[in-house]
Amino acid sequence: MIKPHGATELKPLFVYDTAKHEALLKEAAGLPSLLLNSAAAANAVMLGAGYFTPLTGYMNLADALSVAEKLHTQDGLFWPVPIINLTKESGIKAGSRIALRDPNVDGNPVLAVMDVTAVETVTDAQIQTMAKEIFGTVDPKHPGVAVFTQLGNTLLSGPIQVLNFSYFQGEFPDTFRTAVEIRNEIQERGWKTVVAFQTRNPMHRAHEELCRMAQERLKADGIVIHMLLGKLKEGDIPAPVRDACIRKMAELYFPPNTVMITGYGFDMLYAGPREAVLHAIFRQNMGATHFIVGRDHAGVGDYYGAFDAQTIFTEKVPKGALLIEMFMADNTAFSKKLNRVVMMREAPDHTPEDFITLSGTKVRKMLGEGMAPPPEFSRPEVAKILMDYYQSIGG
């Protein structure tokens, strides 16, 4: 099976030993507390689940700046996005042991226990430098920049021990899976070549066919559809609706035992190319051998070029830094000539009129008015779920 990133075995930071877990919970009750922001909480969940192997906790300022500017930590580990605990709290001292509390669950239960090795002040200039490198912009209208630049100027670094997976297990019991669990299931199924597909949206015909193309061309044993379950920007479709759409599509249109539907607990960064590389790392950690990188992967608005998230793998990712291989996808659309979904670059004899393409805005308008998009764009069973959702919120 493919090795995890930067390690010979997965390194989840969740405390699985029952006795140790209970002892830590008791200890945490008497420790000073920090209420995390959602970004730091999401990082803790990903560290706990093994997705961020081989990291042992939150990065210090030197590593965060090095990752942002050079795509590697001070000791040379290739990594595309700083994994940090930025806060507005300033009363915490280096050398202390603290309970990290969950901002996304009622009562703010303890999410993790942290040994604070350093407390550093991050200047506004350093925040701007990191934002520019991570997101390619410092425009405050960019949703990722807007969140990142408001987290605070105090950086806490050090190892953590994770005690729960926030709201993800409770709200998505059939979908949320750790990297450990996905690796185990891949082994149980006997899959050797495994394609991972990232989504924060329902899957339309183009996404479905893209997965099918990758599976056929790579002769893959299976596809892991791996959906983001954390916070999105306003207007994105909620996770339960996406989950229902994807399950219906896989149930009706893929052969049995060829698709695993799973999800992970992370907030969307909308960091385009940098986030695509992060996606590849944690898909390697969960056991996938190949990862589909599509048009404007992890993008938002017009901040990134259509294929920037693909070219970063050849231009900035050092050779051998990743074991997982990329399946680079072009724009996909339904061809009226061929009566099927194709990658547009593979249909050079087509004119724009030969394709059926719809903008997201037009599709949302149709769904809100109770009109199903054409079957060439969306499976009718999926469209029905989306129509019900949009009509429930008033279009």
Side-chain angles (χ1 to χ4, degrees):
M1 195 171 192
I2 192 169
K3 286 182 181 178
H5 179 60
T8 54
E9 59 183 30
L10 213 57
K11 296 182 178 180
L13 303 187
F14 185 84
V15 180
Y16 285 99
D17 181 274
T18 305
K20 288 181 182 176
H21 195 281
E22 288 179 1
L24 276 170
L25 277 174
K26 284 181 183 174
E27 181 193 359
L31 292 175
S33 286
L34 171 68
L35 181 62
L36 296 172
N37 51 54
S38 189
N43 283 338
V45 169
M46 294 294 279
L47 287 162
Y51 286 115
F52 286 171
T53 296
L55 303 183
T56 59
Y58 296 110
M59 293 177 181
N60 61 26
L61 182 55
D63 277 338
L65 287 169
S66 179
V67 164
E69 295 171 353
K70 303 173 186 174
L71 287 96
H72 62 74
T73 61
Q74 293 281 91
D75 64 3
L77 174 71
F78 175 74
W79 203 270
V81 176
I83 304 303
I84 52 179
N85 183 3
L86 260 182
T87 179
K88 293 175 181 173
E89 299 296 322
S90 57
I92 296 160
K93 305 294 184 189
S96 61
R97 189 164 162 86
I98 62 173
L100 303 179
R101 294 194 173 270
D102 192 338
N104 296 320
V105 175
D106 289 344
N108 307 127
V110 175
L111 183 58
V113 171
M114 177 179 184
D115 289 302
V116 182
T117 55
V119 179
E120 299 168 283
T121 299
V122 189
T123 66
D124 288 340
Q126 289 170 326
I127 295 281
Q128 291 290 303
T129 294
M130 286 194 280
K132 177 67 175 173
E133 296 292 345
I134 297 164
F135 302 102
T137 180
V138 290
D139 183 352
K141 293 178 183 173
H142 183 293
V145 172
V147 170
F148 185 79
T149 54
Q150 297 302 313
L151 294 174
N153 291 83
T154 300
L155 187 73
L156 308 180
S157 56
I160 65 170
Q161 295 166 286
V162 179
L163 298 175
N164 71 72
F165 291 115
S166 189
Y167 60 93
F168 299 107
Q169 277 185 323
E171 290 191 18
F172 308 102
D174 297 327
T175 305
F176 175 78
R177 293 290 181 271
T178 66
V180 180
E181 291 167 326
I182 295 175
R183 272 190 171 258
N184 289 343
E185 187 167 344
I186 287 171
Q187 283 193 307
E188 287 166 11
R189 290 179 182 235
W191 291 358
K192 303 297 183 190
T193 304
V194 182
V195 180
F197 180 75
Q198 150 75 27
T199 183
R200 70 174 195 258
N201 295 306
M203 290 175 67
H204 297 302
R205 286 287 299 274
H207 305 127
E208 175 193 329
E209 293 300 333
L210 192 51
C211 287
R212 195 172 281 113
M213 285 177 198
Q215 186 177 22
E216 289 171 355
R217 295 180 189 191
L218 298 169
K219 296 181 171 55
D221 301 302
I223 305 158
V224 181
I225 296 174
H226 200 217
M227 72 184 87
L228 179 129
L229 299 173
K231 293 188 181 299
L232 297 161
K233 63 181 172 60
E234 189 177 341
D236 282 354
I237 292 171
V241 180
R242 283 181 276 127
D243 195 14
C245 290
I246 291 167
R247 287 184 182 280
K248 181 60 69 175
M249 179 272 302
E251 173 195 337
L252 296 177
Y253 297 104
F254 280 90
N257 195 39
T258 60
V259 178
M260 280 171 56
I261 297 170
T262 61
Y264 63 103
F266 195 54
D267 292 354
M268 193 71 197
L269 301 177
Y270 301 99
R274 289 294 188 104
E275 194 163 4
V277 179
L278 183 67
H279 285 168
I281 285 177
F282 66 73
R283 272 42 186 257
Q284 179 178 325
N285 281 336
M286 76 183 195
T289 57
H290 296 77
F291 178 50
I292 298 171
V293 182
R295 177 188 170 279
D296 198 25
H297 187 106
V300 63
D302 57 0
Y303 289 100
Y304 310 108
F307 297 101
D308 287 358
Q310 295 183 356
T311 57
I312 190 172
F313 286 94
T314 53
E315 293 175 0
K316 292 190 175 181
V317 177
K319 192 172 179 61
L322 299 175
L323 298 180
I324 192 169
E325 296 179 40
M326 305 308 126
F327 181 85
M328 302 301 193
D330 188 24
N331 289 342
T332 48
F334 192 91
S335 162
K336 290 184 263 188
K337 271 188 175 183
L338 301 173
N339 198 37
R340 60 183 172 87
V341 174
V342 297
M343 281 202 245
M344 293 171 81
R345 69 180 176 219
E346 295 177 357
D349 61 335
H350 284 44
T351 65
E353 290 71 33
D354 293 325
F355 296 108
I356 294 176
T357 56
L358 292 172
S359 72
T361 302
K362 185 171 182 180
V363 170
R364 285 190 292 274
K365 186 172 186 292
M366 293 175 72
L367 293 166
E369 292 171 353
M371 296 168 55
E376 296 87 355
F377 182 84
S378 182
R379 296 291 191 184
E381 300 87 354
V382 171
K384 173 70 168 61
I385 294 169
L386 291 172
M387 279 191 291
D388 289 346
Y389 164 68
Y390 275 105
Q391 289 184 292
S392 75
I393 61 169

